[in-house]
Amino acid sequence: MNVLIITGNLAYPLIKEVVSDSKDNIIVHVAETQVAAFLTPRQIIKEVKTHFNDKLDEIDLILVPGLIKKGTREITKELGIPTFKGSTDGADLAMVLNLIGNITLSEDKPADKLIEEEKRKEAIKFIEEFENDEENIEELLKKPNNILIRNLPVGEDFPMRVLSEIANAPFLSKEALINKCQYFVDSGADMIDIGMAAGEDFSDKIPELIETLRPIVGDRPLSIDTLNANEIKVAAENGIDFVLSLDLGNNGEVQDILKEKNIPAVLLPTNFSEGISPKTPSERVESMHQLIKDTEGLKYVADLILDPVNSSSIVESIIACHDFHKVNPAPMFFGVGNVTELMDADSGGVNVLLAGIGMELGVSILFTPEESGKTRGSVYELSTASKMMFLAKHRKSIPKDLGINLVAFKDKHKRNDVILNERDGIEETRLQEPLKFVRDKAGSFKISVDYGTTVKDSKIIATHFIKNKPDLVIIGQTAKEVYEEIITKKLVSRMEHAAYLGSELQKAEIAMITGKEYVQDFDLFKNPDEFKN
């Protein structure tokens, strides 16, 4: 196949190098531009006609820079040669060329992004087909390492299920309870937990809590997190699907009703009524075996208690899970929130690592609340991490290049098409003194973010003020939507004010997407240089 690649002066050396080993006949043409991304369809058509007019019949395919703004339909129509976007990074062109014939290139999307989308579709399709294979699920549920909680198959043969806790549920208003539950559902939670208050008895509130949450939860399992026997009994009588938790202290009071109603429970190797909590792996496993024996006939999920880093010992608790699973294939519970909430680090990397450890241990349920700013998004992260680990397990691969990932604030690859000498010979300048503040006669703005349960339900709000009195509210989902409306309504008259608004609105959009708290005129992220020696 004869492939014509159009690029610019700066990127040419890199492009020439990366396509040198291609099995196809590659022609790399340098257009009259320094930066390839600045090319337009009309310029590309002109370049091809000027340099290849007598060879058009010999060209099978044209690849243009993936970063050009417009699509390639006009080029295809004018030249009669299929023309598509290449990769955003020139270094990925070799990968694109190797896949020609196996993928359908796009006239609008860069090829590498298209490949990512296809890989994601394949990954999601695999998981969906597995989850919808009723015959296979029925067979898997016959194994001792899998159980059914409500209608949800749970166990080592299924993706790890994410159980999200609505902490301190009895103290929340009905509206707050519904919003929190909806947020967890929209974030990808497989199960929702009603977190009660330790040392209190709110049995009287449980029927209303269940009634309020059931329409939001739908057919997902609804659980209750309490050791209070009265609360467990009331929850069991009112349609709860799952109980957290039974231990050596309370099981005698509640196991009969749970068996009668076929309600599974999480088992803890503790006796909190007597203040007993085993520490070593052998003590935890021994206590768990005793509790399983004492509650024989009860469907259960074993919780060996995942400890925070440097409290008791996260390593000892992981060893306890490993030792238990070697002798008992029952589903296991992993309290991931115990670690993420008690560590000053962004939750994403911690969650995916713990999900990976959980997968290797044979864990079935990943449990978390989202009680601090640093753990906001944990349910989404664990839901994604669960899918990653399920795919890795079935593909017998490391959790990389699966089509699904949790790379959010960094990039998987360093860009190789950044040209270091593109500024050579060009004058540089720096601001010597900040501009003097001059109030814009067209008015001022207060910018905020209204966070919904999903990004698409969130919005950026810009309130316009004239002489400190609000007169208009502009709402949008992107910075561009808001600033274009500001320009359309002529609400800004000074260039420095327009630049400031663009900067703040973009910060607001980033905060809306990432879940960061947006406060006008304050930085979104810390400068790491401030913490270096």
Side-chain angles (χ1 to χ4, degrees):
M1 178 181 285
N2 296 320
V3 181
L4 174 62
I5 296 176
I6 309 294
T7 188
N9 279 292
L10 293 174
Y12 173 72
L14 173 67
I15 302 299
K16 191 69 176 174
E17 181 183 349
V18 298
V19 304
S20 59
D21 295 328
S22 175
K23 64 183 185 296
D24 296 307
N25 180 35
I26 307 297
I27 306 163
V28 181
H29 173 69
V30 184
E32 290 186 20
T33 180
Q34 288 290 96
V35 182
F38 291 169
L39 286 166
T40 66
R42 294 311 308 172
Q43 285 177 291
I44 293 170
I45 291 168
K46 181 180 177 182
E47 288 279 342
V48 175
K49 283 187 172 182
T50 301
H51 297 277
F52 300 94
N53 200 44
D54 58 343
K55 299 178 182 177
L56 293 181
D57 292 341
E58 300 173 17
I59 299 172
D60 301 304
L61 181 74
I62 299 176
L63 289 178
V64 303
L67 287 175
I68 67 168
K69 289 187 177 181
K70 291 187 177 181
T72 64
R73 289 178 183 80
E74 183 181 355
I75 305 170
T76 299
K77 184 178 179 180
E78 182 84 17
L79 300 177
I81 302 170
T83 304
F84 304 103
K85 286 194 174 184
S87 54
T88 53
D89 185 341
D92 291 329
L93 260 180
M95 171 188 69
V96 174
L97 291 169
N98 287 335
L99 289 171
I100 287 177
N102 296 319
I103 61 167
T104 303
L105 293 171
S106 172
E107 296 173 319
D108 299 303
K109 293 181 181 178
D112 52 324
K113 303 301 180 186
L114 192 69
I115 292 166
E116 285 180 17
E117 285 183 14
E118 288 302 312
K119 289 177 75 172
R120 179 176 175 79
K121 287 177 184 176
E122 287 178 15
I124 297 299
K125 181 182 177 184
F126 174 82
I127 294 171
E128 287 179 347
E129 287 179 350
F130 178 90
E131 296 278 30
N132 292 324
D133 189 341
E134 295 180 5
E135 188 175 326
N136 183 47
I137 290 172
E138 189 176 338
E139 285 301 311
L140 292 174
L141 285 171
K142 294 175 183 178
K143 296 170 66 174
N145 54 333
N146 302 313
I147 63 173
L148 198 64
I149 302 178
R150 194 174 174 89
N151 293 318
L152 182 69
V154 173
E156 191 177 2
D157 290 308
F158 299 95
M160 291 177 286
R161 306 307 188 182
V162 179
L163 174 55
S164 50
E165 180 189 32
I166 302 173
N168 299 309
F171 301 107
L172 299 179
S173 68
K174 187 171 183 178
E175 181 182 11
L177 194 71
I178 290 171
N179 286 342
K180 189 77 170 178
C181 183
Q182 187 64 59
Y183 166 71
F184 283 147
V185 168
D186 290 341
S187 296
D190 301 295
M191 315 160 76
I192 304 293
D193 181 65
I194 302 171
M196 303 302 288
E200 303 282 349
D201 189 336
F202 286 105
S203 303
D204 58 321
K205 290 194 172 186
I206 289 173
E208 184 181 0
L209 288 170
I210 294 174
E211 184 181 1
T212 298
L213 294 174
R214 182 61 75 188
I216 313 299
V217 171
D219 204 35
R220 294 173 183 81
L222 185 62
S223 67
I224 189 163
D225 187 359
T226 178
L227 285 164
N228 183 302
N230 289 334
E231 290 181 338
I232 292 173
K233 289 175 184 176
V234 172
E237 293 289 357
N238 284 273
I240 208 72
D241 303 307
F242 190 36
V243 169
L244 287 60
S245 303
L246 270 62
D247 74 354
L248 291 163
N250 72 349
N251 77 88
E253 298 179 70
V254 297
Q255 63 171 290
D256 287 344
I257 190 170
L258 298 184
K259 290 176 186 176
E260 177 191 332
K261 294 186 175 292
N262 197 30
I263 300 172
V266 170
L267 300 185
L268 294 173
T270 59
N271 188 334
F272 280 115
S273 63
E274 296 182 12
I276 299 172
S277 184
K279 303 298 180 187
T280 68
S282 59
E283 288 174 348
R284 297 184 199 213
V285 173
E286 185 180 343
S287 294
M288 182 61 73
H289 284 152
Q290 183 60 54
L291 182 55
I292 292 169
K293 182 179 178 181
D294 291 349
T295 57
E296 186 176 359
L298 178 74
K299 288 200 296 185
Y300 66 92
V301 177
D303 182 4
L304 282 298
I305 306 175
L306 182 63
D307 289 317
V309 172
N310 206 33
S311 57
S312 295
S313 169
I314 188 173
V315 173
E316 295 275 279
S317 57
I318 289 171
I319 292 171
C321 292
H322 177 262
D323 291 351
F324 173 80
H325 199 60
K326 280 197 299 187
V327 296
N328 190 327
M332 285 196 302
F333 186 96
F334 224 37
V336 175
N338 290 353
V339 179
T340 52
E341 293 287 354
L342 299 175
M343 177 186 292
D344 278 344
D346 291 328
S347 61
V350 181
N351 278 328
V352 75
L353 177 60
L354 289 173
I357 292 170
M359 181 267 288
E360 288 199 12
L361 291 171
V363 164
S364 301
I365 294 176
L366 302 169
F367 176 74
T368 192
E370 290 188 13
E371 284 302 289
S372 59
K374 66 180 184 287
T375 62
R376 179 178 168 83
S378 280
V379 171
Y380 162 75
E381 291 159 2
L382 287 173
S383 177
T384 305
S386 170
K387 294 180 178 70
M388 288 173 62
M389 299 310 156
F390 185 71
L391 289 166
K393 183 177 177 180
H394 277 264
R395 294 178 183 177
K396 296 180 172 58
S397 72
I398 56 175
K400 184 177 183 293
D401 296 329
L402 299 166
I404 298 173
N405 67 68
L406 273 172
V407 180
F409 296 102
K410 300 185 180 182
D411 295 299
K412 285 181 66 175
H413 308 290
K414 285 186 176 180
R415 290 191 64 88
N416 292 310
D417 61 349
V418 177
I419 312 301
L420 298 179
N421 63 350
E422 63 183 358
R423 299 192 307 272
D424 288 356
I426 302 174
E427 181 184 357
E428 292 186 354
T429 183
R430 282 175 178 259
L431 179 68
Q432 300 301 313
E433 292 184 14
L435 291 174
K436 181 181 178 182
F437 173 75
V438 178
R439 188 175 296 279
D440 193 335
K441 292 180 181 179
S444 57
F445 288 88
K446 178 177 174 55
I447 300 168
S448 60
V449 176
D450 183 2
Y451 297 92
T453 59
T454 64
V455 174
K456 69 180 181 181
D457 294 326
S458 304
K459 48 186 176 285
I460 303 166
I461 299 172
T463 304
H464 183 251
F465 289 79
I466 288 288
K467 295 181 180 179
N468 296 324
K469 290 185 178 180
D471 68 332
L472 183 68
V473 176
I474 298 172
I475 296 171
Q477 275 205 308
T478 66
K480 188 172 185 287
E481 284 181 17
V482 177
Y483 70 62
E484 286 189 349
E485 182 67 3
I486 289 172
I487 292 168
T488 299
K489 293 194 175 300
K490 299 180 180 179
L491 299 176
V492 61
S493 65
R494 298 187 63 85
M495 286 185 65
E496 69 270 28
H497 189 206
Y500 163 80
L501 285 173
S503 173
E504 284 299 319
L505 289 168
Q506 190 60 57
K507 277 167 52 184
E509 183 176 342
I510 292 169
M512 184 182 74
I513 292 169
T514 61
K516 286 280 287 184
E517 182 179 0
Y518 171 78
V519 180
Q520 190 170 347
D521 295 326
F522 285 84
D523 292 336
L524 275 185
F525 299 101
K526 297 175 182 176
N527 182 345
D529 287 347
E530 295 176 9
F531 303 94
K532 294 176 182 176
N533 293 329

